[in-house]
């Protein structure tokens, strides 16, 4: 029988625990609309929730995403450290207008920043917005945007 060295065993436990924590993150949801398309968006409101985001997840249903909610309008930047899914991020104005979009590749630590100060960012599976013809200037609707 092969014996795992204690330090290696502890490292494996820590990594598994971090992954389980990220996957087990239970967040409130809200329904957003983009024209005739509905989105079930998990709400990442607290700093810890935003820091974990979609890290370590291996899949996400096509109609689901994560809406990051910030305290104030600022230039928001995202990277894909520990994120296994290819994503498109929409940076959203207070009224739900798409300010800018960025495609992000798994595990890439390049910063993707909004082109203007925003309070919201919505991550969806890569290409979700393009497949539905959604571009900057178009609006999403839902409770966070007051419509």
């Amino acid at each position: 029988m092969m014996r795992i060295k204690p330090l290696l065993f502890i490292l494996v436990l820590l990594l598994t625990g971090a992954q389980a924590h990220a996957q087990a993150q239970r967040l409130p949801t809200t329904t957003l609309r983009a024209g005739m398309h509905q989105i079930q968006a998990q709400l990442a409101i607290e700093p810890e929730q935003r820091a974990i985001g979609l890290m370590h997840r291996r899949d996400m249903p096509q109609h689901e995403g994560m809406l990051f909610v910030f305290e104030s309008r600022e230039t928001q930047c995202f990277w894909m450290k520990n994120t296994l899914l290819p994503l498109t991020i929409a940076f959203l104005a207070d009224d739900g207008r798409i300010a800018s979009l960025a495609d992000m590749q798994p595990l890439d630590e390049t910063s993707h920043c909004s082109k203007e100060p925003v309070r919201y960012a919505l991550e969806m599976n890569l290409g979700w917005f393009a497949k539905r013809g959604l571009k900057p200037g178009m609006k999403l609707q839902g409770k966070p945007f007051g419509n």
Side-chain angles (χ1 to χ4, degrees):
M1 176 187 285
M2 185 175 163
R3 297 184 78 187
I4 298 175
K5 294 182 181 178
L7 187 56
L8 179 60
F9 180 70
I10 291 170
L11 180 61
V12 169
L13 282 178
L14 288 173
L15 291 174
T16 304
Q19 185 174 4
H21 175 71
Q23 289 177 335
Q25 182 171 236
R26 301 278 184 231
L27 300 175
T29 62
T30 190
T31 301
L32 305 176
R33 291 177 312 285
M36 62 184 223
H37 306 285
Q38 271 197 332
I39 302 163
Q40 275 307 115
Q42 295 180 40
L43 296 170
I45 299 169
E46 300 299 324
E48 181 181 278
Q49 295 168 338
R50 293 192 306 255
I52 295 170
L54 292 170
M55 286 182 177
H56 304 289
R57 296 190 191 192
R58 298 195 184 282
D59 56 43
M60 182 169 61
Q62 284 300 311
H63 67 285
E64 292 183 13
M66 183 171 285
L67 182 66
F68 295 81
V69 180
F70 296 92
E71 292 81 16
S72 60
R73 291 177 57 238
E74 296 179 31
T75 299
Q76 306 296 344
C77 296
F78 284 69
W79 63 349
M80 296 287 284
K81 183 174 183 176
N82 298 322
T83 305
L84 307 174
L85 303 170
L87 301 170
T88 299
I89 189 166
F91 295 101
L92 304 167
D94 286 353
D95 64 355
R97 177 182 52 83
I98 299 172
S100 58
L101 294 163
D103 289 339
M104 304 185 300
Q105 296 302 316
L107 307 174
D108 183 7
E109 294 186 20
T110 302
S111 286
H112 300 274
C113 300
S114 59
K115 293 184 178 178
E116 64 185 70
V118 296
R119 283 192 57 217
Y120 304 100
L122 176 62
E123 289 181 338
M124 299 292 290
N125 286 303
L126 183 70
W128 190 91
F129 296 95
K131 288 176 189 169
R132 289 154 183 83
L134 299 168
K135 300 177 183 192
M138 296 179 163
K139 286 188 180 181
L140 300 185
Q141 297 178 320
K143 189 174 179 181
F145 314 121
N147 54 28

